[in-house]
Amino acid sequence: MTPALSDDVAPPQRYSTVAIVLHWLLALVIVAMFGVGVYMTDLPFSPLRLKLYNWHKWAGIIILALTVLRLLWRVTHRPPALPRAIRQAMPEWQMQAYHATHHVMYALFFAVPLAGWAYSSAAGFPIVLFGQIPLPDLLAANKELAELIKPLHELTALALMALAGLHIAAAFKHHLVDRDGLLSRMLPARS
């Protein structure tokens, strides 16, 4: 009979496959959206710019839907706890930053696309998902309001990218410096 490993030496418990897929899918779509958003704003008025704006809106709605799915999954499927050894090694400020970063990122997963949708509505440009499904306007057309919302969409997107960068840096710190296996909890399983 093999003795059970203690929490200090046991490999960190992994996230579920669904949580891992939603995490990486949302990460890829968000990073791609940010790149497209930055690129398209500098384009002159053209069919390409119109196409990219539509794709950007569609991807924003997809991000919103994925975020709802991810949040529902997280609420109904408790994520694995941080291993005791990692909790004990992290200073209190890092634990607070860990929790705050995750909460603020979830808030921004909603805020960025909702601000974009509100901006599009106020600017008088409806969202027709995949060119087939008209979505309701969040606000009545109002150019002055649109000009107030536009920077909100941009600033929340920048804040999300900054937090994502911090999240990535922390993951690499755990992987390369601490070598504590924390990153492996969110990587696809190796067969």
Side-chain angles (χ1 to χ4, degrees):
M1 188 161 157
T2 307
L5 293 173
S6 76
D7 185 36
D8 292 336
V9 295
Q13 186 181 358
R14 296 177 49 76
Y15 280 84
S16 69
T17 300
V18 172
I20 291 170
V21 168
L22 287 171
H23 173 273
W24 290 108
L25 185 58
L26 198 54
L28 289 172
V29 174
I30 287 172
V31 169
M33 277 285 288
F34 185 76
V36 169
V38 169
Y39 174 73
M40 71 185 192
T41 57
D42 290 333
L43 289 176
F45 185 77
S46 66
L48 174 61
R49 181 177 173 151
L50 293 174
K51 184 185 295 187
L52 290 177
Y53 266 84
N54 280 323
W55 288 351
H56 188 79
K57 292 177 189 183
W58 301 345
I61 299 303
I62 290 167
I63 287 171
L64 204 51
L66 286 173
T67 299
V68 169
L69 286 174
R70 186 171 181 196
L71 188 59
L72 287 172
W73 184 262
R74 186 168 181 123
V75 167
T76 60
H77 298 80
R78 188 176 175 91
L82 282 174
R84 183 180 2 200
I86 294 173
R87 285 192 316 265
Q88 290 173 343
M90 288 175 72
E92 182 60 27
W93 72 267
Q94 281 185 5
M95 285 298 291
Q96 290 176 357
Y98 164 79
H99 290 295
T101 299
H102 281 90
H103 288 104
V104 174
M105 283 177 64
Y106 266 97
L108 289 170
F109 291 161
F110 284 101
V112 175
L114 286 172
W117 191 349
Y119 167 67
S120 190
S121 297
F125 299 112
I127 298 175
V128 182
L129 191 59
F130 309 121
Q132 301 295 316
I133 306 165
L135 300 182
D137 288 332
L138 293 184
L139 301 168
N142 180 326
K143 299 291 183 192
E144 292 80 22
L145 182 58
E147 290 306 311
L148 292 173
I149 296 171
K150 184 178 182 181
L152 177 66
H153 179 59
E154 294 167 352
L155 289 173
T156 55
L158 287 170
L160 180 54
M161 286 298 99
L163 280 179
L166 181 63
H167 180 72
I168 292 165
F172 279 122
K173 181 245 184 209
H174 279 278
H175 186 68
L176 300 172
V177 176
D178 299 341
R179 298 181 185 270
D180 56 18
L182 191 64
L183 180 61
S184 66
R185 295 167 10 124
M186 191 51 85
L187 293 176
R190 293 182 185 163
S191 26

